[in-house]
Amino acid sequence: MARRATVALAVFLLGTGVAFSHAFLDHAEPRVGSTVKSPPSQVRAWFTQNLEPAFSTLEVVNERGERVDQGPAKADAANPALLQVLLKPLGPGTYRVKWRVLSVDTHITEGDFTFRVTREP
Amino acid sequence: MRSRRISVIATTALLSMALWPDLASAHGLAGKRFFPTTLTIDDPFVSDELSLPTFLLFKTPSDGEAPSSKTANISGEFSKRIFPNLGLTLAGEWNNLDPAPNDRTESGFGNFEMTLKYQFFTSAAHETILSAAFGWEAGGTGRKKAGAESFDVFRPALLFGKGMGDLPDALRWLKPFAVTGIVEGVLPSRSGNKSFTLNDDGDLEVEIEKNPNVFHWGFAVMYSLPYLQSFVKDVGLPAVIRQLIPLVEIDINNPLDRGFAGKTTGTVNPGIIWAGKYFQLGLEAVVPINERTGKVIGVRGQIHFFIDDIFPNTLGKPLFTWH
């Protein structure tokens, strides 16, 4: 009886045995806070953990708050920690990338960053 | 009848507050801000985390007839969310005093401590957390010769955390700054301890050691390189460096009464935290603010585990969640 209880407790504590963590932005392309001369055709964001793509979003807005991406964002088939979205042709200006992601362990994290374009396409 | 009704309403209100869902509150998160667990100042958030061990090496100054003493302290702290916003922390410590007040080297466990904390406000947009806590140090549960007091100590506290991410973009280099802090009453259950000794003439002497009420306050100022790298500017830091959070913690005790009023003690604790996926490491210098606190710089270190990330589906989530 005691042995069964111990096993049950161990199963409860260890769960699936797989550990994951909150997903934070590791790096992005264009880089966070960067200034680029050529307008990018897409934004790619690498996270520290694998994502649930159906519940993860990546949006890009201009200074007036208008969407300039051709969403929805898609996860990379080969890399579940990479989220990417295509962009409409961008003119000079500052753009904000907003992300909200669900990691595979159900933790939600969110954030944003900007990049600047200096020249017309 | 009226008092019963008030009691039911109060209980319902308390349960509603405690059960209200708040996904962003786990793990010291408020919006984009990740607040690490600081080594000296209590955290403003509730969490499922384990600090084991925290060590402190410090030399206390001589006080009257008592000589200065090297103190080695090893402690552990387990925090568990009962509800998403209500957490319980259990803490214990082991002390080695060289010498102890009896002029011998003594070691043993300190008193057991328990703290109930309610995180009553979280603003993702303003990266702000507020919480209230009530701590209880159970007197007599540790070894008296190793410094454990025989009386209880109660600690009502208010705690806060504020990230600077809502500053205007013109001040973007300041956005990685954050501050956490505490204001706390340290209230002993007994005003003084009486001890009886025989003097050289064989007469009984009564010595009374006073236990003052103390106003304890402190804050930690930190600059988050992860925040800089992920939300402000990717400056190309190497992987290890971008996970560092340099900080300074100020920890002050102001005794209020019983002959100790004005005898402030405290430390300034500059250090650094490395935050990984499942645990963080911290190291600080412990610099006394005056000779009453000490004359020699000490050191404090900590290994801290994120239970909510290691066991996200079992031990790392609240015992009760409202859906």
Side-chain angles (χ1 to χ4, degrees):
Chain A
M1 185 67 179
R3 193 173 170 185
R4 276 188 194 173
T6 306
V7 171
L9 182 64
V11 169
F12 172 75
L13 293 178
L14 296 174
T16 60
V18 181
F20 296 101
S21 173
H22 289 76
F24 294 105
L25 182 68
D26 185 74
H27 64 285
E29 194 57 50
R31 289 168 68 166
V32 174
S34 64
T35 299
V36 295
K37 289 181 180 175
S38 302
S41 59
Q42 64 176 339
V43 169
R44 309 177 82 197
W46 285 264
F47 290 86
T48 56
Q49 295 299 321
N50 292 345
L51 307 176
E52 291 286 358
F55 301 97
S56 300
T57 60
L58 187 69
E59 296 178 359
V60 186
V61 297
N62 61 19
E63 292 165 51
R64 294 185 295 278
E66 299 162 342
R67 291 275 297 270
V68 296
D69 62 75
Q70 302 182 53
K74 291 178 181 171
D76 187 87
N79 182 0
L82 168 59
L83 205 57
Q84 49 199 343
V85 68
L86 294 172
L87 298 176
K88 298 171 183 173
L90 302 183
T94 300
Y95 297 90
R96 186 171 295 277
V97 180
K98 300 177 180 177
W99 55 266
R100 179 179 168 85
V101 298
L102 179 69
S103 59
V104 289
D105 66 339
T106 72
H107 286 134
I108 295 173
T109 49
E110 60 187 337
D112 62 83
F113 65 89
T114 60
F115 67 90
R116 198 158 70 93
V117 177
T118 56
R119 202 189 294 169
E120 294 280 1
Chain B
M1 185 69 181
R2 180 181 163 82
S3 65
R4 188 180 169 196
R5 192 174 167 192
I6 291 172
S7 171
V8 168
I9 292 172
T11 305
T12 305
L14 183 65
L15 280 173
S16 299
M17 287 190 294
L19 293 171
W20 197 257
D22 190 353
L23 291 172
S25 66
H27 197 73
L29 282 174
K32 295 186 286 185
R33 176 68 54 176
F34 160 66
F35 292 99
T37 288
T38 50
L39 283 71
T40 306
I41 303 296
D42 248 358
D43 301 318
F45 49 86
V46 296
S47 58
D48 296 289
E49 298 184 350
L50 173 70
S51 296
L52 189 69
T54 301
F55 72 86
L56 169 67
L57 302 174
F58 193 68
K59 190 172 184 182
T60 55
S62 57
D63 181 19
E65 293 179 2
S68 68
S69 173
K70 291 178 194 166
T71 301
N73 172 284
I74 299 172
S75 61
E77 198 173 282
F78 176 64
S79 298
K80 178 75 204 138
R81 283 179 297 165
I82 302 168
F83 299 111
N85 290 337
L86 185 71
L88 184 68
T89 297
L90 308 175
E93 64 176 9
W94 179 89
N95 290 307
N96 183 74
L97 307 178
D98 181 19
N102 62 7
D103 283 335
R104 289 161 40 181
T105 300
E106 296 285 358
S107 60
F109 287 100
N111 284 334
F112 171 76
E113 291 184 41
M114 189 164 70
T115 301
L116 196 64
K117 189 185 294 176
Y118 174 52
Q119 186 174 324
F120 61 86
F121 179 79
T122 305
S123 167
H126 296 290
E127 300 178 355
T128 301
I129 291 174
L130 298 174
S131 63
F134 188 83
W136 169 49
E137 178 185 329
T141 53
R143 186 162 184 256
K144 193 173 182 181
K145 287 181 178 175
E149 301 289 1
S150 58
F151 52 88
D152 293 349
V153 178
F154 304 106
R155 296 171 171 264
L158 288 173
L159 305 101
F160 67 91
K162 172 77 180 89
M164 301 302 167
D166 54 357
L167 287 173
D169 284 344
L171 300 173
R172 62 184 179 280
W173 295 104
L174 301 180
K175 289 186 177 188
F177 272 111
V179 59
T180 63
I182 183 173
V183 289
E184 179 181 52
V186 181
L187 312 174
S189 62
R190 195 187 300 152
S191 61
N193 302 334
K194 286 181 184 174
S195 58
F196 301 92
T197 54
L198 288 174
N199 63 17
D200 294 342
D201 299 328
D203 298 327
L204 187 66
E205 283 189 349
V206 180
E207 194 175 326
I208 300 177
E209 183 189 355
K210 298 284 190 181
N211 306 320
N213 293 300
V214 175
F215 175 58
H216 171 230
W217 60 275
F219 60 91
V221 180
M222 61 198 81
Y223 193 83
S224 171
L225 295 183
Y227 195 100
L228 170 71
Q229 190 75 16
S230 295
F231 303 118
V232 179
K233 174 90 174 166
D234 182 348
V235 292
L237 296 173
V240 174
I241 304 296
R242 75 171 66 155
Q243 290 169 273
L244 295 178
I245 302 172
L247 78 165
V248 178
E249 298 191 65
I250 312 289
D251 188 41
I252 305 293
N253 284 297
N254 296 124
L256 300 174
D257 51 12
R258 295 166 187 161
F260 286 87
K263 295 182 177 178
T264 299
T265 58
T267 56
V268 176
N269 307 268
I272 198 150
I273 289 171
W274 176 89
K277 290 177 184 173
Y278 304 121
F279 66 95
Q280 66 171 55
L281 307 172
L283 192 65
E284 288 181 343
V286 181
V287 184
I289 62 164
N290 53 25
E291 292 193 353
R292 191 180 297 117
T293 309
K295 296 178 181 174
V296 181
I297 295 174
V299 62
R300 178 184 286 113
Q302 184 182 75
I303 302 175
H304 181 85
F305 298 92
F306 305 131
I307 301 296
D308 56 337
D309 284 329
I310 299 172
F311 303 113
N313 300 316
T314 52
L315 198 60
K317 62 182 185 180
L319 292 177
F320 307 101
T321 308
W322 181 265
H323 286 295

